[in-house]
Amino acid sequence: MREILGRRRRLRLRRKEGTVRLDAALTCATVWQWPVLPGVGTAQAGPRGESGGLGCACPEPDCAVPGAHPFDPGLLAATTDERMVRWWWTHRPTAPLVLATGGRAPCAVSLPAVAGARALSALDVLGMRLGPVVATPTRWSLLVAPYTLERLGELLYAKDWVPSSLRFHGEGGYLVLPPSRTGAGQVRWERPPARLGASDAAPVSRGRAKGGAPAAAAPWLPDVEAVLDALVEASTGAPGGGSRLAH
């Protein structure tokens, strides 16, 4: 009896988790007009019955980012189409939510979690307005306004040194968004998205909400140049010089 009740609880939990992820995917795609697709997800590592933790569901046995990348479909399939998004998460309700960065979609800069906490504290002291911040147990990612590779190259060229622990998610890149779970653990909002107000000078991306009504404004995003200095400094001052790449 206990085993049956336990299975029912797990089933209810998975259904609820799937509904939450579908809602999040639809918000990104249809309300904010961010192209998304399902990530590969996780699988039990090691033989059945052994406590091997979670590994990646892709064929690569030593995947560096288990569960946290596109596989099938590939990144080019990312879309804002509501029907496609619904189909994906109806058939794979626990799949991670992956944002295809760049183009008209947000870009991001990520760094190790310890350095990320330092950077946010420094930016808060400066009174700088931040956009959404995605956190995993190992890395934090600051979403920023779209940038081109040429502009990013110019900004980095002006720096004396850029820690190798910084990663830039631009055109052709991707980022896993909450409320996903990957091999590294739960993905959450350290700073949740804030709506773009009418008084902001930046352009507003609008979609269509359910029923054809105008969608809410997409979240406000800072320019990458505004946050880059603090991120470089925080990564440089992190333990070990910020040179380690933690997935």
Side-chain angles (χ1 to χ4, degrees), residues 3-91:
E3 184 177 353
I4 294 175
L5 291 176
R7 288 177 182 173
R8 289 177 177 174
R9 292 193 193 98
R10 288 192 294 270
L11 181 59
R12 286 196 298 267
L13 182 62
R14 282 196 294 268
R15 287 175 177 170
K16 181 178 180 181
E17 183 178 347
T19 300
V20 170
R21 291 188 187 180
L22 173 60
D23 289 345
L26 287 172
T27 296
C28 289
T30 66
V31 179
W32 299 341
Q33 294 295 291
W34 293 359
V36 298
L37 75 161
V40 63
T42 57
Q44 188 67 35
R48 183 179 296 273
E50 292 185 9
S51 181
L54 291 178
C56 192
C58 76
E60 180 59 49
D62 298 319
C63 181
V65 285
H69 63 89
F71 178 66
D72 184 13
L75 184 61
L76 293 179
T79 183
T80 59
D81 182 73
E82 179 179 353
R83 290 175 299 176
M84 191 74 250
V85 171
R86 285 189 180 277
W87 189 90
W88 276 334
W89 270 274
T90 297
H91 288 78

Side-chain angles (χ1 to χ4, degrees), residues 173-187:
Y174 60 88
L175 185 71
V176 178
L177 298 180
S180 304
R181 179 176 290 277
T182 69
Q186 185 66 42
V187 183

